[in-house]
Each structure stands twice: as C-alpha cells, then as structure tokens.
Amino acid sequence: MELSPLAATLAGSPHQLWWIFPLVHADGWVAHISVPLFTGVIGWVTNWSGVWMLFHPVRFRGVRVPGLRTVAQFLPRKVLEVPLGLQRGCIGWQGIIPSRAAKMGSIAVDKGLTKLGTTAEFYEQLDPEAIADHILSTSRDEIERIVDRLMRRHYPTVWANLPPGVRPRSTPASRRSCPGSSTG
C-alpha cells in the first residue's frame, strides 16, 4: 500500500512538519515577533469585550425559556447575581453596570452625603418651621382624602358607622390639629 504525499510527510520525522505550522516551528525573528503579537491581540480582544460587557446592552436582551424561572429558584445566590436574566425566566445578557444602576446609585449618594455631613448637621441647616409650613400648605387640599383613607384602614367599623353629619366635620378638626394651623 502506497501512502499519499501528505500522509508520508506526516508519518515522517517532526522536522518535516514545518510547512504545516510555520509560526510554531519558525526560526529567527518570526518566532520572537509572533508570540507577543498574538498574545497582545488576544489580550486586547478579551479586555475590550470585558469592558463592552460592563456597559452594554443597557436593557436586557434575551429569550424566554419555559420553566427556567422555577429552576432558577434553586440556583445559588451568586449565580443569580450575574445579569443573565435567570430570575425572569430568560437567558440573555444586560450590562453589569446598567443591571445594578439603582444599587450603585444609592451607594454613591450615601457615600457622597456622608462626606458632606451627618444627619444632625443637615437638620441644623434646615428650618423645621419652614418645612412644616410648606408641607401644610401643599397638603391642605388632600387632608380630607388622607383622613378618609386612614380611618378606613385603622378604624373601618367606626368610620362606617359614623352619622352622616359627623364625617364632614372631621376634616376641619384634623386641619386644626395640624401644627401651626389656627383655622380649618
């Protein structure tokens, strides 16, 4: 049985394979240039794709997988933190920073405010009387609805059994009980 020229070359000595992998078996400057060149390109591509995945896409992109939401309940918490959409019952991707924008924003605000001052220092700078007057002036029109909602929630039986003439009188009484208010 006679071998083809390629099979004969492959069956021969390893020095005869130089033409298949020229950069691997190159001599001289090509061998020294090719390794940093290829590792640099590979490093650049992986770094660029990593930075791209931090920010893009801004909105989740993926496909719904039936039953995945049920299975996702049993996955470890660390797996669910990766923005793959498993908790939604989808498989896809959203950028890491857009998926955690609310959490990162609240952390940034908290850190920024703590550098500006404490809660007591902020309160010292504010005028509590002016704030109370502003709240009263903006909520006067809503007091009737607020009283109605609170009474239905906390004292539903009493509110339902009040005589018809007493309910409208509760709103002016509520307005008079507000701090800084002299008339209803």
Side-chain angles (χ1 to χ4, degrees):
M1 180 163 118
E2 194 172 312
L3 294 174
S4 69
L6 178 61
T9 304
L10 292 176
S13 70
H15 296 293
Q16 294 175 347
L17 295 178
W18 67 268
W19 61 273
I20 295 175
F21 305 108
L23 294 179
V24 174
H25 298 288
D27 292 328
W29 64 273
V30 175
H32 298 293
I33 296 292
S34 63
V35 172
L37 180 70
F38 284 111
T39 55
V41 168
I42 291 169
W44 181 81
V45 168
T46 56
N47 287 344
W48 184 85
S49 63
V51 170
W52 185 85
M53 289 175 71
L54 279 173
F55 298 100
H56 295 287
V58 174
R59 295 197 195 320
F60 179 80
R61 290 188 187 168
V63 293
R64 181 165 298 288
V65 178
L68 185 60
R69 184 179 291 181
T70 306
V71 173
Q73 296 172 358
F74 302 106
L75 293 174
R77 183 180 55 87
K78 286 292 186 185
V79 172
L80 296 175
E81 285 180 2
V82 178
L84 296 173
L86 299 175
Q87 292 174 322
R88 298 179 187 177
C90 302
I91 296 248
W93 183 254
Q94 180 179 13
I96 293 172
I97 291 177
S99 70
R100 293 183 178 47
K103 184 176 182 179
M104 290 180 181
S106 68
I107 290 170
V109 167
D110 290 344
K111 289 191 180 235
L113 287 177
T114 56
K115 288 182 180 181
L116 289 175
T118 64
T119 308
E121 292 171 345
F122 280 117
Y123 188 73
E124 287 173 10
Q125 297 296 321
L126 301 175
D127 183 13
E129 290 298 322
I131 292 172
D133 290 342
H134 175 70
I135 291 172
L136 283 173
S137 66
T138 57
S139 65
R140 280 196 196 281
D141 298 334
E142 298 179 26
I143 286 180
E144 188 174 330
R145 284 181 278 165
I146 293 169
V147 168
D148 185 52
R149 188 177 70 229
L150 289 174
M151 290 301 290
R152 285 180 195 267
R153 182 183 302 158
H154 295 291
Y155 304 104
T157 308
V158 173
W159 192 245
N161 293 326
L162 276 178
V166 176
R167 241 187 236 189
R169 291 186 205 163
S170 65
T171 303
S174 300
R175 286 184 181 157
R176 281 191 302 277
S177 67
C178 292
S181 178
S182 58
T183 61

